[in-house]
C-alpha cells in the first residue's frame, strides 16, 4: 500500500493567462497552469522529476509589468499576475532560442524540436555556414552500456542534477568550462569507467536530446535499424531485488533495446540502478540465439 | 557522502601548499599517511562537507605555489574537503586564472580591452608575438596571454605578471610574486617577466587621483594624505569616527541614517542601500552575512581598486558598520583575483584592525563581534553578479542563481545577505560622520552625495575623479585635461553601458540624468575615444569580452554572445546596405539576450554595441 503525504493545504491563486482567469494552487508554476489550460509551451531543460534549472529559456512568457520575460517552467503563479504566452516578444525569444540552439548543436534526436522550429518559423541556417557549433564533438563510446554524444548536448544540467544531489548522489558528472565551451564531464574529462559512475542510467532517463543513449540505441542508429515506430513499450517490475522498481522495456524485433522507468512512480520517479537499467541481457542472450 | 576519488597523487609542493591552508591531513581518509587506526572509523558527513567554501582558496594555494592544477593536486584537495572530483574539476575550469595543463610558473597577462586598445595595446601584443612567440606558447619559463580589463586603465596599456612559487613573507592569503607593468612597453615587460620581483615599483595609488589633496573631496580625501598601512594615521585623519557614531545610533539608527541619506548602490544597479539593509536586518533568520563586492571587472572600472589601495582601512571600517547594521558577524570581502596590491593592503589592514580590537569578538568594546574574511576571485567577471558571488565563495561554479529568492532572503550559505559595492560602503562613512542631511545636501534630490568616475582612454589626465552628482560630462572631462580634439564618443557606464556623442557632453551625471539620456552611469566608467580609434574593432572587443565572460548557463547569452561576435567580425569593414542584414541580425539576437537571459550579463551585453549603432551611426 502506498501512502501519499498530503502536506499543508495550499491556497488557490487566481491570475490571468492569455486574457482568461485561471486558478492554480499556490506554488504551481505558470507552466503548470498552461498545461492545465491545454496550452502547449515548448520546454527543453524542464524535467518533471527535477527542480527547474531554467537554463534553456525556450519556455519564456511575458508577464505584464516585468522588465524581462519569465521562464514558465519555474516562475510561480502569483495572484493578479497577467501572463501572455503568445505575445510577440515571447514568440521572438522562443524563435531565437531555437535558432541559437539548432545552429550550435545537433538536435537530430531531440523530440518535438523539428515541430517547434516550424511552428515558430525559426531559421537556424541564417547564422551562416561558419557559425560556431559544438555539433562536431565526437561521441564518447568508452563503455558497454551507454554513450555520450556531447555534440547533441544543450547544457540543460538535467543529467548533472540527476546524478548529483537531486537523485543519485554519485556526483560522477558536472558542468565544466565556461561560456560556449561548457560541457558535461567527469573529472579531467576522462572516460566514464575511470570515474565515479555507477551506471544507473538515471542521467539517460532525463536527457532531453538523446545526447545520452543506450549503447544499443546508439549502435542501431548508426546501423540505420533504430525504428521507434516498430517498438513496443511494456512496463513491468524489476526482478532483481525486493524494492520492486517499475521498468519500461522498449522492445524492437523481440529484443530489448532500451529500458526506462515511469516518472510518475511515487517511489522511484524514473530512477533505477544498474541492474534494472542495463541488466536485461540474460533475457535475450539465450544460448544459441546469438 | 560516499565519494570516489582518483588514484592521482599530489607532489610534495602541492601537498604542502594545500596543507599550509588547511593544516596537515589528519587521517588517511583525507589523503594523509594511512595507518591502522584509519581502518577503524570513517570520516565524512556534514562536518567535512561544511568546508566546501575552502575549495577556491585551496585551488589558489596550489596555483600560487605551482602555477597550475595537476590531477594529483585536485584529487588531494577533493579528499581534504570532501568534494566530488568532477565538481572540483568543473569549478577549476570555470576560472580564467587557473590552468589544468602544465604551464610555466610565470604568466604575463596583457590587457587588450577597450581603454588599453585605445592606448596602443596592439603594438605591445605585436611586439610580444615577435619577441616571445604567439600568445599561449610557453617560452623561456614564461607564457603570455591576452587579458580583459585589468582595472589599471588610467595607466593603459596595462599588463600584470604573476609568478608562482613559494609565498613570500606575509604568509597565506597574499598572491605570489606579482608585478604590474603599466604603461606597458615591450622592454619593460620582458624585464618584468624575467624577474617580476625586481620590476620597477608601481606608482602609489594617489597617482591615479589627479584631484588628490584638493578641498571638497569626500571619498578620496585620504588617498595620498593618509598612510594606507598605518592605522593610527587613518584615525588621525578621521578614521573610526563613523563606527563610534554607528554604535551610538544602534543598528536601526544606522539604517535610518543610511536610508535618509538617499544613498544608492554604486555597483551598477543603483539600488537604495538603506532599503537593502533594512530588508536584510528584518529577516527572521539570525545568521546573516555581509558581502563586499570588490570583484571590479567591468571593463574601464578601477575606482574600487584606488579606494582599496589608497584607503584600505576605510573599507574595513565601512564593512564593520554595514555588518553591525544588518546584524552580521562575518563579512566576506570578495576581491578580484588580479588585484595583488589591494589584496596585500587589505590583508594588512584587516590584521592591524584585528590586533587593535577593531575587528574580532568585541569591536571597540561594544560587545559586537565582527570579522572579515578576504576571498580572492580567480578571473571571472560574472562572479561580480550578486548571486554568482555567493556560489563562488561557497566553492561552486560562479553561476548566477535564479531570483527570487533574493539575496536579502537567501544569500550566502542560504542566509540573508547584504551585498554591497566597495564605493557604496565607503559612502556610509560620511553619512555617519556628518549625518544624513549633510550628506544629502550634496548632489541632486534623487542622486545624493558624490560619485567616483573612472576616466580613461584618449584624455590628458586619466584617473579616478570625485564630483558631486549633477556635474556634467563636460565638467568631468575638463577636470581630466579637457575635451580631447577629435572626440568621437564616450563610453559611459562600462561595457554594459552605452556610448554618448560629442554633442551630448552636457548630460548631467546623475542616475536620473543618465537614464533620461538613454544611458546609465553603471560602474562609473567614462571611457573617451577619439577619432583615431577603430570603432568596429572596439565593438568586436566588447562582444569578445561578453562571449568570454558568459558563464554559459543560459542559451540566449551562451550562444547569443557568440553569434553577435561573429556578426561584428563579418561587418568590421562594411558600411550601409552591405552591413544592414547583419545589423538586423544583431538586433534580433540582442533582443532575446535582453529579454530572456538569466542575469544582468546577458541582459546588458548588447547595450554598448546597440548604442554605437543607434547613436554613433557605426556601420552607416
Ligand atoms: C555581470 C555582472 C557583474 C557585476 N560586477 C560587479 C562588480 O564587479 N562589483 C560590484 O560592486 N557590482 C557588480 N555587479 C552588480 C552587483 O550584482 C550588485 O548589484 C552590486 O554589487 C550591489 O551593490 P550595491 O547595491 O552597493 O551597488 C555586477 C552585476 C552583473 C550583472
Ligand atoms: S549513469 Fe548514473 S552514476 Fe553514471 S553519470 Fe549517469 S546518473 Fe551518474
Ligand atoms: S547530456 Fe543531455 S541531460 Fe546532460 S546536459 Fe546535455 S542535453 Fe542535458
Ligand atoms: S546571462 Fe550569461 S552570465 Fe548570466 S546566467 Fe545566463 S549565461 Fe550566465
Ligand atoms: S524549459 Fe523553461 S527554461 Fe528551459
Ligand atoms: S586595464 Fe586595460 S582596459 Fe582597463
Amino acid at each position: 500500500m502506498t501512502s501519499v503525504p498530503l502536506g499543508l493545504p495550499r491556497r488557490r491563486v487566481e491570475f490571468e493567462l492569455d486574457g482568461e482567469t485561471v486558478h492554480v494552487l499556490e506554488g504551481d508554476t505558470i507552466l503548470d497552469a498552461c498545461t492545465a489550460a491545454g496550452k502547449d509551451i515548448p520546454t527543453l531543460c524542464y524535467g518533471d522529476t527535477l527542480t527547474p534549472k531554467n537554463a534553456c529559456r525556450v519556455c519564456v512568457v511575458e508577464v505584464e509589468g516585468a522588465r524581462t520575460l519569465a521562464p514558465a517552467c519555474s516562475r510561480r503563479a502569483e495572484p493578479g499576475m497577467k501572463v501572455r504566452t503568445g505575445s510577440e516578444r515571447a514568440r521572438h525569444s522562443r524563435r531565437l532560442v531555437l535558432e541559437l540552439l539548432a545552429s550550435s548543436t545537433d538536435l537530430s534526436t531531440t523530440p518535438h524540436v523539428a515541430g517547434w522550429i516550424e511552428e515558430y518559423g525559426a531559421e537556424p541556417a541564417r547564422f551562416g555556414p561558419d557559425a560556431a557549433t559544438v555539433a562536431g564533438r565526437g561521441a564518447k563510446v568508452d563503455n558497454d552500456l551507454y554513450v555520450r554524444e556531447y555534440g547533441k548536448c544543450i547544457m540543460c544540467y538535467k543529467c548533472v542534477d540527476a546524478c548529483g544531489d537531486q537523485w543519485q548522489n554519485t556526483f560522477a558528472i558536472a558542468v565544466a568550462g565556461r561560456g560556449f565551451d561548457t560541457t558535461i564531464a567527469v573529472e579531467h574529462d576522462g572516460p566514464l569507467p575511470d570515474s565515479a559512475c555507477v551506471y544507473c542510467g538515471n542521467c539517460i532517463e532525463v536527457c532531453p536530446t538523446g545526447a545520452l543513449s543506450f549503447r544499443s540505441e546508439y549502435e542501431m542508429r548508426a546501423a540505420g535499424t533504430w525504428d521507434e515506430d516498430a517498438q513496443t513499450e511494456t512496463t513491468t517490475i524489476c526482478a532483481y531485488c525486493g524494492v520492486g522498481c517499475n521498468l519500461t522495456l522498449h522492445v524492437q524485433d523481440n529484443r530489448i533495446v532500451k529500458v526506462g522507468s515511469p516518472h510518475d512512480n511515487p517511489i522511484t520517479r524514473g530512477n533505477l540502478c544498474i541492474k534494472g537499467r542495463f541488466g536485461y541481457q540474460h533475457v535475450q542472450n539465450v544460448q544459441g540465439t546469438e | 557522502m560516499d565519494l570516489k576519488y582518483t588514484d592521482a597523487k599530489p607532489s610534495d609542493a602541492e601537498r604542502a601548499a594545500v596543507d599550509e591552508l588547511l593544516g596537515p591531513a589528519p587521517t588517511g581518509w583525507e589523503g594523509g599517511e594511512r595507518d591502522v587506526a584509519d581502518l577503524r572509523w570513517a570520516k565524512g558527513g556534514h562536518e567535512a562537507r561544511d568546508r566546501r567554501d575552502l575549495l577556491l582558496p585551496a585551488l589558489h594555494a596550489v596555483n600560487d605555489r605551482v602555477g597550475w592544477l595537476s590531477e594529483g593536486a585536485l584529487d588531494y584537495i577533493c579528499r581534504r574537503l570532501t568534494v566530488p572530483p568532477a565538481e572540483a574539476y568543473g569549478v577549476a575550469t570555470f576560472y580564467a586564472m587557473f590552468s589544468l595543463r602544465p604551464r610555466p610558473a610565470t604568466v604575463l597577462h596583457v590587457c587588450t580591452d577597450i581603454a588599453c586598445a585605445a592606448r596602443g595595446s596592439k603594438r605591445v601584443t605585436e611586439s610580444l608575438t615577435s619577441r616571445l612567440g604567439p600568445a599561449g606558447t610557453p617560452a623561456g619559463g614564461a607564457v603570455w596571454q591576452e587579458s580583459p580589463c585589468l582595472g589599471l586603465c588610467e595607466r593603459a596599456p596595462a599588463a600584470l605578471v604573476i609568478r608562482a612559487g613559494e609565498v613570500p613573507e606575509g604568509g597565506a592569503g597574499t598572491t605570489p610574486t606579482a608585478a604590474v607593468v603599466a604603461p606597458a612597453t615591450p622592454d619593460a615587460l620582458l624585464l618584468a617577466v624575467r624577474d617580476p620581483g625586481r620590476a620597477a615599483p608601481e606608482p602609489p595609488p594617489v597617482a591615479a587621483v589627479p584631484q588628490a589633496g584638493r578641498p571638497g573631496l569626500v571619498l578620496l580625501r585620504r588617498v595620498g594624505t593618509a598612510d594606507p598601512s598605518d592605522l593610527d594615521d587613518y584615525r588621525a585623519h578621521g578614521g573610526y569616527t563613523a563606527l563610534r557614531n554607528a554604535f551610538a545610533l544602534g543598528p536601526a539608527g544606522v539604517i535610518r541614517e543610511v536610508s535618509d541619506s538617499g544613498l544608492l548602490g554604486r555597483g551598477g544597479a543603483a539600488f537604495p542601500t538603506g532599503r537593502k539593509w533594512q530588508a536584510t536586518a528584518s529577516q527572521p533568520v539570525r545568521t546573516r552575512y555581509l558581502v563586499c563586492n570588490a570583484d571590479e571587472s567591468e571593463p574601464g572600472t578601477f575606482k574600487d581598486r584606488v579606494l582599496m589601495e589608497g584607503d584600505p582601512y576605510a573599507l574595513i571600517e565601512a564593512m564593520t558598520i554595514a555588518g553591525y547594521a544588518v546584524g552580521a558577524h562575518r563579512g566576506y570581502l570578495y576581491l578580484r583575483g588580479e588585484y595583488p596590491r589591494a589584496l596585500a593592503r587589505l590583508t594588512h589592514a584587516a590584521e592591524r584592525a584585528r590586533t587593535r580590537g577593531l575587528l574580532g569578538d568585541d569591536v571597540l568594546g561594544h560587545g559586537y563581534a565582527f570579522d572579515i574574511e578576504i576571498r580572492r576571485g580567480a578571473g571571472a567577471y560574472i562572479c561580480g553578479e550578486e548571486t554568482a558571488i555567493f556560489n563562488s565563495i561557497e566553492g561552486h561554479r560562479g553561476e548566477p542563481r535564479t531570483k527570487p529568492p533574493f539575496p536579502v532572503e537567501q544569500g550566502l550559505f542560504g542566509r540573508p545577505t547584504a551585498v554591497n559595492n566597495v564605493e557604496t560602503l565607503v559612502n556610509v562613512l560620511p553619512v555617519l560622520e556628518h549625518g544624513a542631511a549633510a550628506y544629502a545636501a550634496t548632489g541632486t534630490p534623487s542622486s545624493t552625495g558624490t560619485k567616483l568616475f573612472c576616466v580613461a582612454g584618449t584624455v590628458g589626465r586619466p584617473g579616478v575623479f570625485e564630483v558631486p552628482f549633477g556635474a556634467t560630462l563636460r565638467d568631468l572631462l575638463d577636470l581630466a585635461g579637457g575635451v580631447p580634439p577629435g572626440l568621437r564618443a564616450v563610453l559611459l557606464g562600462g561595457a554594459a553601458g552605452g556610448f554618448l556623442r560629442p554633442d551630448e557632453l552636457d548630460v548631467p551625471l546623475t542616475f536620473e540624468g543618465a537614464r533620461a539620456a538613454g544611458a546609465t552611469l553603471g560602474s562609473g566608467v567614462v571611457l573617451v575615444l577619439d577619432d583615431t580609434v577603430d570603432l568596429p574593432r572596439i565593438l568586436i572587443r566588447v562582444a569578445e569580452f561578453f562571449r568570454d565572460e558568459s558563464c554559459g548557463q543560459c542559451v540566449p547569452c551562451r550562444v547569443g554572445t557568440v553569434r553577435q561576435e561573429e556578426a561584428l567580425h563579418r561587418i568590421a569593414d562594411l558600411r550601409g546596405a552591405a552591413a544592414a542584414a547583419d545589423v538586423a541580425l544583431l538586433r534580433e539576437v540582442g533582443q532575446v539576450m535582453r529579454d530572456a537571459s538569466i542575469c544582468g550579463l546577458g541582459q546588458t551585453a548588447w547595450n554598448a554595441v546597440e548604442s554605437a549603432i543607434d547613436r554613433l551611426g557605426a556601420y552607416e
Side-chain angles (χ1 to χ4, degrees):
Chain A
M1 201 193 83
T2 54
S3 74
V4 179
L6 291 175
L8 291 172
R10 294 192 291 165
R11 272 182 305 193
R12 264 172 25 131
V13 172
E14 181 179 301
F15 75 104
E16 198 183 297
L17 185 63
D18 291 332
E20 299 197 6
T21 305
V22 295
H23 295 94
V24 291
L25 292 178
E26 192 179 21
D28 282 354
T29 61
I30 296 174
L31 184 64
D32 293 331
C34 290
T35 309
K39 292 179 195 291
D40 195 15
I41 307 285
T43 61
L44 283 167
C45 69
Y46 169 77
D48 55 355
T49 61
L50 296 161
T51 307
K53 182 73 187 166
N54 46 249
C56 77
R57 320 303 278 186
V58 79
C59 68
V60 285
V61 295
E62 189 158 354
V63 177
E64 198 177 288
R67 186 172 50 86
T68 54
L69 301 174
C73 65
S74 66
R75 181 60 58 83
R76 304 232 153 120
E78 286 164 28
M81 204 178 214
K82 289 194 171 68
V83 176
R84 288 196 297 149
T85 60
S87 75
E88 184 52 41
R89 261 176 95 196
R91 289 186 64 90
H92 174 87
S93 275
R94 272 184 229 149
R95 171 166 66 87
L96 264 289
V97 164
L98 290 167
E99 289 180 342
L100 293 173
L101 271 181
S103 64
S104 60
T105 325
D106 171 4
L107 297 182
S108 61
T109 52
T110 305
H112 313 300
V113 83
W116 296 330
I117 285 180
E118 201 173 298
E119 180 186 342
Y120 287 92
E123 293 173 52
R126 71 195 178 111
F127 299 113
D130 299 331
T133 173
V134 302
R137 287 177 183 166
K140 289 183 190 281
V141 190
D142 53 17
N143 67 85
D144 291 340
L145 301 183
Y146 81 100
V147 176
R148 301 175 291 154
E149 292 176 86
Y150 291 129
K152 293 179 170 179
C153 170
I154 59 164
M155 294 303 300
C156 71
Y157 289 63
K158 281 199 241 177
C159 54
V160 175
D161 288 343
C163 185
D165 60 1
Q166 291 191 30
W167 290 118
Q168 181 60 25
N169 276 295
T170 294
F171 303 93
I173 47 177
V175 178
R178 191 167 81 191
F180 196 74
D181 299 328
T182 49
T183 182
I184 307 294
V186 307
E187 58 272 23
H188 307 288
D189 204 9
L192 217 43
D194 291 353
S195 78
C197 176
V198 296
Y199 303 95
C200 62
N202 294 330
C203 51
I204 310 170
E205 182 73 47
V206 296
C207 179
T209 61
L212 307 178
S213 64
F214 274 58
R215 179 89 182 244
S216 44
E217 173 173 349
Y218 174 77
E219 280 171 1
M220 287 171 77
R221 280 188 190 275
T225 55
W226 180 259
D227 181 3
E228 260 160 40
D229 293 338
Q231 290 171 11
T232 57
E233 292 178 23
T234 309
T235 298
T236 176
I237 293 177
C238 178
Y240 274 103
C241 79
V243 173
C245 299
N246 288 10
L247 308 178
T248 302
L249 307 177
H250 297 241
V251 177
Q252 182 179 334
D253 298 333
N254 212 25
R255 290 181 68 84
I256 298 168
V257 292
K258 173 167 118 176
V259 177
S261 179
H263 290 195
D264 57 2
N265 182 302
I267 310 291
T268 53
R269 305 287 270 148
N271 296 293
L272 295 171
C273 76
I274 183 173
K275 290 173 282 181
R277 185 81 63 186
F278 292 110
Y280 55 82
Q281 292 303 332
H282 65 288
V283 184
Q284 46 203 32
N285 280 0
V286 182
Q287 229 176 9
T289 62
E290 280 299 289
Chain B
M1 242 185 318
D2 180 21
L3 293 181
K4 178 177 183 290
Y5 302 105
T6 71
D7 295 329
K9 294 276 172 286
S11 71
D12 289 347
E14 289 162 345
R15 182 189 292 271
V18 175
D19 288 354
E20 195 169 310
L21 177 78
L22 303 176
T27 69
W29 294 106
E30 293 136 301
E33 283 298 315
R34 197 155 171 184
D35 62 31
V36 181
D38 287 336
L39 300 176
R40 309 210 182 278
W41 68 293
K43 197 170 171 298
H46 282 291
E47 197 190 330
R49 280 198 310 270
D50 272 355
R51 293 328 317 256
R52 171 77 184 245
D53 69 298
L54 290 175
L55 178 57
L56 185 53
L59 295 172
H60 266 305
V62 172
N63 189 58
D64 284 352
R65 182 74 57 97
V66 188
W68 68 285
L69 304 167
S70 72
E71 295 191 16
L74 206 65
D75 190 68
Y76 183 59
I77 292 172
C78 289
R79 286 174 192 264
R80 294 299 313 273
L81 298 173
T82 326
V83 176
E87 287 195 4
Y89 177 75
V91 171
T93 52
F94 188 81
Y95 294 101
M97 287 177 80
F98 297 144
S99 169
L100 284 102
R101 301 234 149 78
R103 65 173 171 187
T106 307
V107 181
L108 167 61
H109 303 260
V110 181
C111 177
T112 54
D113 220 320
I114 320 173
C116 291
R119 310 274 300 206
S121 62
K122 192 141 181 259
R123 282 195 305 278
V124 178
T125 52
E126 280 170 359
S127 167
L128 286 175
T129 307
S130 70
R131 292 165 76 170
L132 288 178
T137 19
V143 63
W144 75 278
Q145 60 195 51
E146 296 190 3
S147 158
C149 176
L150 291 166
L152 298 161
C153 327
E154 86 280 9
R155 280 177 275 155
L160 173 69
V161 185
I162 297 177
R163 173 172 289 178
E166 292 280 329
V167 179
E169 267 316 289
T174 50
T175 23
T177 318
V180 163
V181 188
T185 60
D187 288 335
L189 285 178
L190 291 183
L191 276 176
V193 164
R194 221 166 289 139
D195 193 352
R198 293 231 301 268
E202 243 194 294
V206 66
V209 183
Q211 293 167 301
R214 288 212 204 162
L217 294 183
V218 181
L219 307 172
L220 296 175
R221 72 181 189 281
R222 274 182 294 255
V223 179
T225 50
D227 179 351
S229 64
D230 187 345
L231 181 51
D232 290 319
D233 207 27
Y234 176 68
R235 299 183 84 153
H237 284 84
Y240 281 101
T241 338
L243 182 61
R244 282 181 199 286
N245 293 348
F247 283 139
L249 286 166
V254 173
I255 293 177
R256 197 178 336 105
E257 283 298 305
V258 172
S259 300
D260 290 350
S261 74
L263 174 61
L264 301 180
R266 308 294 199 240
F271 192 84
T273 306
R275 212 185 321 151
K276 188 182 284 185
W277 290 10
Q278 178 61 43
T280 312
S282 60
Q283 295 292 319
V285 179
R286 293 300 294 271
T287 306
R288 304 181 198 126
Y289 292 105
L290 171 76
V291 172
C292 170
N293 190 340
D295 194 42
E296 190 163 73
S297 310
E298 178 75 35
T301 316
F302 48 96
K303 64 188 175 72
D304 295 342
R305 187 201 90 229
V306 172
L307 279 176
M308 292 184 289
E309 292 180 348
D311 196 8
Y313 291 105
L315 184 57
I316 304 288
E317 180 184 0
M319 283 183 70
T320 313
I321 295 170
Y324 177 66
V326 303
H329 297 291
R330 180 157 288 269
Y332 286 84
L333 202 172
Y334 188 92
L335 181 68
R336 110 167 258 200
E338 294 92 339
Y339 276 180
R341 184 158 73 179
L343 175 65
R345 297 222 161 146
L346 286 165
T347 306
H348 174 78
E351 265 164 25
R352 296 299 308 146
R354 214 167 281 133
T355 11
R356 298 279 289 273
L358 294 163
L359 287 176
D361 291 340
D362 185 11
V363 175
L364 274 177
H366 279 264
Y368 167 60
F370 184 74
D371 213 328
I372 293 174
E373 208 169 305
I374 301 176
R375 290 298 177 92
R376 273 156 74 193
Y381 166 65
I382 189 58
C383 291
E385 197 277 341
E386 60 181 1
T387 57
I389 206 169
F390 303 147
N391 279 339
S392 182
I393 295 174
E394 290 178 25
H396 297 282
R397 292 164 55 81
E399 293 171 354
R401 300 177 181 172
T402 304
K403 291 182 273 193
F406 292 95
V408 295
E409 304 154 354
Q410 285 175 41
L412 187 61
F413 303 115
R415 310 299 181 145
T417 305
V419 189
N420 279 115
N421 170 259
V422 173
E423 183 189 347
T424 311
L425 288 168
V426 171
N427 267 284
V428 170
L429 302 178
V431 169
L432 290 180
E433 282 160 10
H434 310 295
Y439 179 89
T442 309
T444 67
S446 31
S447 302
T448 56
T450 59
K451 176 81 193 92
L452 299 181
F453 288 98
C454 316
V455 186
T458 51
V459 286
R461 291 164 74 203
V464 178
F465 293 85
E466 178 173 3
V467 292
F469 276 109
T472 64
L473 189 50
R474 188 184 304 282
D475 297 336
L476 188 62
L477 292 185
D478 284 342
L479 287 171
V483 178
L487 176 66
R488 174 78 167 98
V490 175
L491 178 61
L492 187 65
F499 287 97
L500 293 180
R501 286 187 307 270
D503 62 346
E504 294 176 300
L505 297 186
D506 294 312
V507 171
L509 295 172
T510 56
F511 293 115
E512 62 278 13
R515 208 176 307 123
T520 162
L521 296 186
S523 53
V525 171
V526 176
L527 218 148
V528 183
L529 302 175
D530 67 15
D531 52 15
T532 63
V533 169
D534 183 350
L535 190 60
R537 304 280 154 203
I538 294 280
L539 300 183
I540 289 174
R541 187 65 187 91
V542 171
E544 265 173 13
F545 174 80
F546 287 112
R547 178 209 61 192
D548 284 347
E549 300 298 332
S550 164
C551 81
Q553 210 180 175
C554 63
V555 174
C557 172
R558 178 178 78 234
V559 189
T561 52
V562 173
R563 294 291 175 259
Q564 288 209 325
E565 191 211 346
E566 290 167 349
L568 288 167
H569 272 290
R570 281 195 295 269
I571 59 174
D573 300 311
L574 304 180
R575 295 292 176 275
D582 272 319
V583 169
L585 189 81
L586 282 165
R587 286 191 199 281
E588 288 199 25
V589 174
Q591 190 65 39
V592 66
M593 288 163 65
R594 182 172 290 156
D595 279 348
S597 292
I598 291 180
C599 85
L601 187 147
Q603 289 161 13
T604 60
W606 140 255
N607 285 1
V609 177
E610 182 186 40
S611 78
I613 293 171
D614 289 343
R615 299 173 87 115
L616 303 181
Y619 313 110
E620 267 172 20

